[in-house]
Amino acid sequence: MATESVLHPSLIVPIGHVEPVPRRIRGTVGGRVAFDTRSALYVWEWQAYPQFSIPIEDLVEGVLDDDKHTEQLGAGPAHRHNLRVGPEVRAGAAWVWGEGSPEALRDTVRFEWEALDAWFEEDEPVFVHPRSPYSRVDALRSRSTVRVEVDGVVLAEASGCVKLFETGLPTRYYLDPMNIDWTRLRHSDTVTRCPYKGTTSDYWSFDGDTGAHEDIAWTYDFPTIHANRIAGLTAFYNEHVDLYVDGSLLPRPVDSTRVASD
């Protein structure tokens, strides 16, 4: 097995960074509009991706109730609030930035993503978290040969692929289903979402001599338009398989979080 290595560009945005969002952002709860703004801010509480911070003045049906709890978040101190939208109450759903946070964040509120029923950029839904303006996803056709092995068993072998390059993540190699040995794979009910690629259609696991290797491959049947070249193709986690590209075994990258990483 090859040793761990980083073969992709690193994330460059520092924690605490704030930038304007040039898009209309809306959030709904129970079918009601909690907020509607054209003046949202991106705030990086961690490097991987930003969150939206919403001007308090752009709350529509959302009402904030201070629960008198303060925490130090990535960008600074914030006061926790409950969110009321009509008859719905989402406890601890909102954080109003306090003294000591970046000046641009004053009088804005960062909502817990899952506390809202739906988020929209303009009129399109957004899943998991905001898309970073400093990240990109490129799906490129390639003649590179790819072989996938686990425990010495060949699970896939292809004379071409679609390489998906996503900022801060290892290159993913999407393969035509005709090049995969499906008799070796077990279907999984796992579903994940990515703000850049959409919602997965299927996951597969492999039961090898050393035990079960869960959710090592996935497919997007209907990806976003930004990644439409991977539609119907399958990729394997570089972190959990032996991946040969053009005859060379790639180093396994450090196991990354699977949030927005497939």
Side-chain angles (χ1 to χ4, degrees):
M1 181 187 303
T3 57
E4 293 178 345
S5 179
V6 176
L7 300 176
H8 54 273
S10 300
L11 298 164
I12 62 172
V13 182
I15 293 172
H17 189 63
V18 178
E19 290 285 2
V21 178
R23 312 173 185 206
R24 181 187 182 190
I25 305 299
R26 288 174 292 152
T28 64
V29 172
R32 299 170 182 258
V33 178
F35 57 82
D36 186 344
T37 183
R38 299 177 188 274
S39 303
L41 296 170
Y42 292 116
V43 54
W44 277 262
E45 295 183 41
W46 42 84
Q47 263 196 311
Y49 53 84
Q51 295 289 344
F52 291 130
S53 202
I54 309 299
I56 292 175
E57 64 185 23
D58 289 334
L59 293 175
V60 180
E61 296 186 65
V63 177
L64 301 179
D65 298 321
D66 193 343
D67 73 358
K68 310 302 181 183
H69 175 79
T70 300
E71 281 190 22
Q72 183 74 25
L73 303 184
H79 308 293
R80 191 174 65 193
H81 289 64
N82 301 321
L83 172 66
R84 289 191 292 111
V85 184
E88 298 277 350
V89 177
R90 304 292 164 88
W95 296 90
V96 176
W97 298 102
E99 189 74 27
S101 59
E103 184 67 31
L105 294 179
R106 303 295 171 80
D107 299 320
T108 70
V109 54
R110 197 271 282 162
F111 292 95
E112 297 290 345
W113 192 267
E114 296 299 330
L116 279 290
D117 293 341
W119 292 77
F120 296 89
E121 290 184 350
E122 298 298 337
D123 291 329
E124 295 193 5
V126 187
F127 305 111
V128 186
H129 59 75
R131 302 179 183 99
S132 172
Y134 302 129
S135 296
R136 60 181 296 158
V137 174
D138 296 301
L140 305 180
R141 292 186 296 270
S142 173
R143 294 181 182 176
S144 287
T145 61
V146 177
R147 187 169 82 254
V148 179
E149 295 184 9
V150 177
D151 294 346
V153 176
V154 176
L155 300 182
E157 195 157 14
S159 59
C161 61
V162 171
K163 296 182 181 180
L164 189 125
F165 303 95
E166 184 171 348
T167 303
L169 292 173
T171 302
R172 302 303 188 192
Y173 300 84
Y174 281 81
L175 309 179
D176 189 286
M178 295 295 292
N179 300 131
I180 296 171
D181 185 355
W182 298 106
T183 66
R184 299 282 190 172
L185 298 177
R186 167 171 49 85
H187 188 264
S188 164
D189 292 330
T190 298
V191 175
T192 61
R193 288 179 170 181
C194 171
Y196 304 99
K197 301 183 292 294
T199 302
T200 55
S201 306
D202 299 281
Y203 265 86
W204 287 273
S205 302
F206 170 67
D207 297 315
D209 291 340
T210 62
H213 301 265
E214 300 292 342
D215 294 337
I216 61 171
W218 66 90
T219 298
Y220 289 92
D221 282 340
F222 303 101
T224 64
I225 192 171
H226 316 288
N228 60 357
R229 282 180 174 165
I230 68 171
L233 306 184
T234 298
F236 290 80
Y237 271 112
N238 312 35
E239 296 88 336
H240 305 301
V241 303
D242 293 326
L243 185 65
Y244 294 81
V245 177
D246 293 326
S248 297
L249 175 61
L250 297 189
R252 285 195 185 184
V254 176
D255 193 5
S256 59
T257 175
R258 294 191 176 189
V259 177
S261 67
D262 345 341

